[in-house]
Amino acid sequence: MLKKQNKNFSTPDETVPTANGKIEVLNFGDIEIKRYILNPGWNWSRDVKIADKTETCQKTHLYIHIQGQLKVKMDDGTERKFGPGDV
């Protein structure tokens, strides 16, 4: 059972540097909440693909987009752009 906890990204439990940004992590037992900070020009194919060892991202994500723009291209060729307030 998850106990009540207060945490804030001003003091993440973990910070993971990436090739062009960083990921901040808050741990709540088996649940992780992550804040991705991606610098302008970040690109999955260039910055993550080598580490994931897949041609495309195979993970399921749920994001609340806070700032900037993110373009996503799915395996079927569809594309979407996400911006502030998008989920």
Side-chain angles (χ1 to χ4, degrees):
M1 173 179 275
L2 188 61
K3 63 182 179 181
K4 291 182 182 182
Q5 298 178 59
N6 256 8
K7 293 193 175 193
N8 191 292
F9 279 110
S10 64
T11 55
D13 294 319
E14 182 181 359
T15 300
V16 180
T18 66
N20 200 10
K22 65 181 176 178
I23 303 166
E24 296 173 335
V25 183
L26 299 178
N27 293 304
F28 297 90
D30 292 339
I31 299 170
E32 290 182 333
I33 306 293
K34 297 178 180 180
R35 176 167 69 175
Y36 285 72
I37 300 169
L38 309 174
N39 295 328
W42 179 90
N43 182 285
W44 186 91
S45 296
R46 184 188 59 243
D47 299 325
V48 181
K49 181 178 178 177
I50 293 171
D52 275 6
K53 298 179 180 143
T54 58
E55 283 302 309
T56 59
C57 182
Q58 300 298 308
K59 297 177 182 171
T60 300
H61 302 283
L62 175 61
Y63 289 111
I64 301 169
H65 204 93
I66 304 298
Q67 180 178 331
Q69 300 289 319
L70 180 68
K71 180 179 171 184
V72 176
K73 184 175 182 179
M74 305 302 287
D75 286 341
D76 67 4
T78 58
E79 295 184 10
R80 300 253 344 244
K81 283 188 180 179
F82 293 88
D86 289 337
V87 177

